[in-house]
Amino acid sequence: MNNFRGILLKSTLPVLIGLSVVAWLFVKDFNWDDWKDINWSYHVVIALILAFVALIGREFGLMWRFRVLSDKRLNWMSSFRVTLLCEFTSAITPTTAGGSALSMVFMSKEGVSSGRATTITLTTFLLDEAFFVLMCPLIFILVGKSQLFGFDLTKVESGIRAAYWIVWGGIVLITALLFVGILIKPHVIRNILLKLFSFGKLKKWFPKVDKLTAEMITTSCEIKDKSYDWWFKACSATVISWFSRFMIVNALFYAFAEYASQIVVFARQTVVWTLLTVSPTPGGSGVSEWLFTTYYGDLLNDVSIALVIALFWRIITYYIYLAIGITLLPSWIRKPRINKYD
């Protein structure tokens, strides 16, 4: 119970941060006359329903991936619980801290051995990072710089563009290390990293690097002989989950700003989620709301609509998971541990 109270306390911090930024933005920029002008017709209702359909698509992709990567050792209900709990922990921890890493704990209680849970976690990380490595330059080529980063490059927009490419470069480096370390030469990568982190101030990170590289070797042994069909399903589930997450914003723009280019709206999600991977706040609270309203502002007729869309976006993609997680966690804590199997 004490653990649950601690988690509940942690979950209030991102809520307070997010709501504070939303309140500040509303006071600064929102025009209540614009809210009154919104026509809550069947068109808006259908679009909001589509946003929730996209949310379901995201959860299905994540659940399917857990099923595939666990070789169906996780049934659909177990995959559902693990997925929602991962979303919850990601929502209450800084993105840079890697809240989804707790998936190993969740899978362990569902009966998956620690070695296989480690393999699944590292593989999902590799697949997610690889998605952005490939998707970001593809979107840049298809949409173009002016559409992707705004028509009038102010200092803020220039900063967003610079930060985006820096973060993307870091993702490329991490993905390359994971790819080589898991699929090609795990022992070589392990030896290089251990030597690198045995000098000077880097020594304090040596134990963590030692553990990570050992887990990479375990993961390599687990998946090096997997079939093309296995990889196709895992990659397909990853694409479905990310595309569905992006389409939530498309549905919201269709509801409140039908005139905006759906292609550009979709494309800019790659920038938003790339930058949120280094958010220092729990679940990107505050940063998400500000980034969304700033970055999508040029596609909208007024800032008020941007705030409305941002609020619905955070409710659907963030606050829902906080509510579900707080509801689900007590029963999961009381749930007896399933006997482990390999």
Side-chain angles (χ1 to χ4, degrees):
M1 183 60 70
N2 288 334
N3 289 336
F4 174 66
R5 287 175 180 171
I7 293 172
L8 185 61
L9 183 61
K10 286 183 179 179
S11 67
T12 61
L13 177 61
V15 172
L16 291 175
I17 294 173
L19 292 180
S20 297
V21 172
V22 169
W24 174 71
L25 290 171
F26 265 77
V27 170
K28 184 171 70 78
D29 297 316
F30 191 71
N31 185 348
W32 286 104
D33 291 333
D34 294 326
W35 176 267
K36 296 176 183 178
D37 290 338
I38 295 176
N39 182 17
W40 295 92
S41 63
Y42 73 93
H43 167 82
V44 174
V45 174
I46 291 175
L48 292 176
I49 291 173
L50 290 176
F52 279 97
V53 170
L55 178 67
I56 293 171
R58 166 169 167 72
E59 297 314 303
F60 168 75
L62 294 174
M63 290 164 57
W64 184 26
R65 188 167 68 176
F66 275 123
R67 285 271 290 165
V68 172
L69 297 183
S70 67
D71 294 320
K72 297 185 178 180
R73 286 169 170 79
L74 288 172
N75 59 36
W76 283 108
M77 183 53 67
S78 294
S79 299
F80 179 67
R81 282 193 294 266
V82 171
T83 297
L84 290 181
L85 288 169
C86 286
E87 296 280 16
F88 174 66
T89 53
S90 295
I92 64 173
T93 56
T95 311
T96 50
S100 59
L102 285 173
S103 61
M104 290 184 287
V105 177
F106 304 141
M107 284 186 282
S108 176
K109 195 161 186 177
E110 296 294 340
V112 178
S113 65
S114 58
R116 184 170 293 274
T118 299
T119 296
I120 295 171
T121 300
L122 283 178
T123 307
T124 57
F125 188 48
L126 172 62
L127 290 170
D128 284 335
E129 300 300 287
F131 173 82
F132 280 94
V133 168
L134 299 174
M135 194 68 179
C136 290
L138 179 62
I139 287 293
F140 183 81
I141 293 170
L142 293 177
V143 177
K145 178 175 65 175
S146 62
Q147 295 281 358
L148 194 59
F149 295 106
F151 302 106
D152 180 23
L153 283 178
T154 63
K155 289 183 178 180
V156 173
E157 289 164 333
S158 298
I160 289 175
R161 183 175 65 176
Y164 167 72
W165 287 118
I166 291 172
V167 174
W168 182 77
I171 292 174
V172 171
L173 177 61
I174 292 172
T175 306
L177 286 173
L178 285 172
F179 181 79
V180 176
I182 292 175
L183 298 176
I184 301 178
K185 296 287 185 181
H187 289 89
V188 172
I189 294 297
R190 173 174 167 79
N191 291 335
I192 292 174
L193 290 177
L194 289 181
K195 287 181 180 179
L196 177 64
F197 282 85
S198 62
F199 296 104
K201 294 183 178 180
L202 294 177
K203 283 184 178 181
K204 64 179 181 179
W205 300 102
F206 185 89
K208 291 185 178 180
V209 174
D210 183 33
K211 181 181 178 181
L212 174 62
T213 52
E215 290 172 345
M216 286 171 57
I217 292 176
T218 301
T219 301
S220 178
C221 295
E222 284 275 346
I223 68 173
K224 64 180 180 181
D225 295 324
K226 294 296 183 182
S227 65
Y228 286 111
D229 181 65
W230 187 88
W231 279 107
F232 177 78
K233 290 178 180 178
C235 292
S236 297
T238 301
V239 171
I240 288 173
S241 67
W242 278 109
F243 267 59
S244 296
R245 173 177 273 189
F246 291 1
M247 291 302 295
I248 293 172
V249 177
N250 283 86
L252 293 176
F253 266 82
Y254 181 64
F256 300 106
E258 191 178 359
Y259 50 83
S261 170
Q262 287 290 319
I263 294 176
V264 176
V265 170
F266 182 90
R268 291 192 181 189
Q269 282 290 286
T270 60
V271 177
V272 170
W273 288 107
T274 298
L275 293 176
L276 287 180
T277 60
V278 293
S279 171
T281 60
S285 296
V287 176
S288 298
E289 292 82 0
W290 173 84
L291 178 61
F292 191 93
T293 54
T294 302
Y295 184 46
Y296 278 104
D298 66 292
L299 297 180
L300 301 165
N301 292 335
D302 55 68
V303 178
S304 297
I305 297 300
L307 290 170
V308 171
I309 296 175
L311 183 59
F312 274 98
W313 174 57
R314 288 298 278 172
I315 289 173
I316 295 173
T317 63
Y318 182 70
Y319 292 112
I320 281 180
Y321 291 117
L322 284 177
I324 292 175
I326 292 172
T327 303
L328 180 63
L329 198 61
S331 61
W332 180 83
I333 292 174
R334 293 192 299 267
K335 180 180 178 292
R337 185 183 296 270
I338 298 174
N339 291 330
K340 292 183 179 181
Y341 45 78
D342 293 326

